[in-house]
Amino acid sequence: MTAPRRILMLVILCGVLALSALAAGSAGPASAQSSSAERPPGHGWTWPLEPRPAVVRPFDAPKRPWLSGHRGVDLDAEPGSPVLSPQAGTVVFSGWVVDRPVVTVDHENGLRSSFEPVSALLPVGAAATKGEPIGSLAPPPLGADASHCGTARCLHWGVRRGEDYVDPLAFIEDRRPSVLLPWSGPP
C-alpha cells in the first residue's frame, strides 16, 4: 500500500471514530432519560396540597435506619384541607397508627406515600387518581397537646421505596445539585 493511500485510510478511520464518539456522547443522556426507572428526580408527581404549601420541616434521612431523623416532609396546612394523591396508585392502608389517622397509597415501581393526620375519603383497595382527593387533613387527636408539627398545623408526607424512606420533594422538584459543565466555545 502506498503512502498516500495509507494516509487516506488513516483520515477515513479517524473520521469514523470521531463520528462514533460524537454519536455515543449524544445518545448517552437521552437513552438514560427514556427509561422511567432512570428519569431524573422531580418528574411527574404533584403536590399533595393546593395551593403549593410551605415546607415546615424538610426530609432528614437518618445516618442509619435505626437512628433518629425526619422520614418525610411537613407541609403547612389547615385542618380540613383536601389531601391529594401526588401520583396514581391504590390505597393500601387507611386507619389509625398510634394516635393519628394515616392513609397510604401504593404507587408503581415500589413507591408508597403515607400521609398523616388524614381522614380518609377512599377505602382500602380504591384507585387513587393523581391530583384527586384521598382525604382531608384531620385536626390533632382529642387530648393531644400538639400535632406532629408541634403547635403548628401540618400534613406529614412520607415516601418509601421498598423499606427505605426517600425525600418526597425529589418526586416533585429536581433536587440534585447544580453542575457546571465545561464550556465548548460559542454555539
Side-chain angles (χ1 to χ4, degrees):
M1 189 180 284
T2 64
R5 208 166 201 206
R6 284 186 186 154
I7 293 173
L8 179 61
M9 292 297 285
L10 184 59
V11 168
I12 290 172
L13 180 61
C14 288
V16 169
L17 290 174
L19 287 174
S20 297
L22 184 63
S26 66
S31 64
Q33 289 182 4
S34 65
S35 168
S36 64
E38 297 180 32
R39 281 187 185 147
H43 185 78
W45 287 37
T46 60
W47 288 94
L49 295 167
E50 287 183 357
R52 179 183 174 160
V55 176
V56 176
R57 185 174 173 199
F59 179 79
D60 180 21
K63 302 283 187 229
R64 300 272 188 237
W66 58 86
L67 294 175
S68 64
H70 192 238
R71 293 165 174 84
V73 294
D74 294 339
L75 305 174
D76 185 35
E78 290 295 321
S81 300
V83 177
L84 315 174
S85 182
Q87 182 62 293
T90 304
V91 176
V92 293
F93 180 81
S94 176
W96 286 78
V97 175
V98 185
D99 65 348
R100 60 187 55 116
V102 176
V103 174
T104 302
V105 178
D106 185 18
H107 309 291
E108 60 185 37
N109 299 328
L111 296 169
R112 287 186 173 198
S113 292
S114 291
F115 305 93
E116 62 178 76
V118 174
S119 299
L121 177 64
L122 300 176
V124 171
T129 305
K130 177 181 172 180
E132 295 299 316
I134 57 172
S136 62
L137 186 62
L142 293 176
D145 293 331
S147 71
H148 171 81
C149 298
T151 57
R153 307 281 189 213
C154 74
L155 171 70
H156 177 80
W157 175 26
V159 174
R160 285 185 323 195
R161 176 178 282 125
E163 296 300 315
D164 298 322
Y165 284 90
V166 293
D167 186 354
L169 299 184
F171 296 93
I172 297 175
E173 304 170 335
D174 189 345
R175 309 210 19 112
R176 297 174 296 175
S178 296
V179 177
L180 296 176
L181 299 175
W183 183 56
S184 62

